[in-house]
Amino acid sequence: MSEIDHAAALKHKAWWQKKIAAENLSMESANKDFANMAGMLRRYYESIAQPDPPYPYPYPYHRISLKDRHKAESRKLEIPVDWITEKWFAPGAFDGTNDEARDILLISVETGCRQSEICDLPPEAIVLDHPIPHLRLRFEEGENRRECIDPLKTCSCYKGERSHE
């Protein structure tokens, strides 16, 4: 592991750049590979009780990524409010759906939470006796323990609370 330094990460990046150009691949594949390598190294150093690798950089893959400067920024399209109102809030719209699935969908629409976040909520995370009823999304310990791969990147919702306003 000690041979994997920032220079090795830069060589890995150059290898991906050549591969992408030659095979017309997506840069997202390379970035996923970089993230996997960074995670593997981080977990390795944590497992030997060394919080940071012995390099001048925080981690060998720190700031290693590829970005297509010519690609237009894109954003997922939002579901039009009229469509939601007509389809989901229409009388009888959920007649064939069980109560739990309907509630999860409606909470998701109201809060922006993912369905998996809502399904896994312990009872104490649902706060109804507050001026603004809300959900507490955070790491739980004990019986209601929840796992997230990387709360700073993958599960940004865990940074605080999402309110139902």
Side-chain angles (χ1 to χ4, degrees):
M1 287 294 206
S2 63
E3 294 176 14
I4 302 175
D5 59 6
H6 193 66
L10 290 172
K11 285 180 187 175
H12 188 199
K13 178 179 178 179
W15 178 85
W16 264 109
Q17 287 171 318
K18 289 177 188 171
K19 185 173 178 70
I20 288 168
E23 300 178 25
N24 197 24
L25 298 173
S26 166
M27 290 185 189
E28 288 155 10
S29 297
N31 289 330
K32 187 171 190 173
D33 193 30
F34 301 149
N36 289 339
M37 288 295 293
M40 178 190 67
L41 290 168
R42 180 181 41 79
R43 286 186 297 279
Y44 168 75
Y45 283 105
E46 287 172 359
S47 75
I48 62 170
Q50 184 176 347
D52 294 310
Y55 303 118
Y57 296 91
Y59 289 98
Y61 280 85
H62 181 68
R63 294 188 176 166
I64 298 289
S65 66
L66 297 176
K67 184 172 182 177
D68 185 351
R69 293 183 183 98
H70 303 291
K71 184 178 177 183
E73 291 293 322
S74 64
R75 181 177 170 195
K76 288 183 181 180
L77 295 176
E78 297 174 1
I79 299 174
V81 173
D82 291 343
W83 189 90
I84 292 171
T85 304
E86 291 171 13
K87 303 290 183 184
W88 292 350
F89 296 145
F94 297 108
D95 285 351
T97 308
N98 68 39
D99 291 344
E100 292 85 5
R102 182 201 63 230
D103 292 346
I104 289 168
L105 175 65
L106 294 175
I107 292 169
S108 179
V109 168
E110 286 291 326
T111 64
C113 292
R114 294 185 295 267
Q115 288 83 0
S116 61
E117 294 169 335
I118 298 164
C119 290
D120 295 339
L121 283 175
E124 61 272 9
I126 302 169
V127 182
L128 299 175
D129 61 348
H130 187 273
I132 300 174
H134 60 279
L135 304 174
R136 272 194 203 107
L137 301 178
R138 61 183 176 197
F139 285 108
E140 300 288 344
E141 294 297 326
E143 183 181 324
N144 294 316
R145 181 179 162 90
R146 301 173 69 193
E147 303 243 351
C148 182
I149 295 170
D150 186 344
L152 298 177
K153 294 181 182 174
T154 312
C155 301
S156 59
C157 58
Y158 287 93
K159 291 180 184 176
E161 297 180 3
R162 287 196 183 170
S163 296
H164 169 78
E165 297 179 48

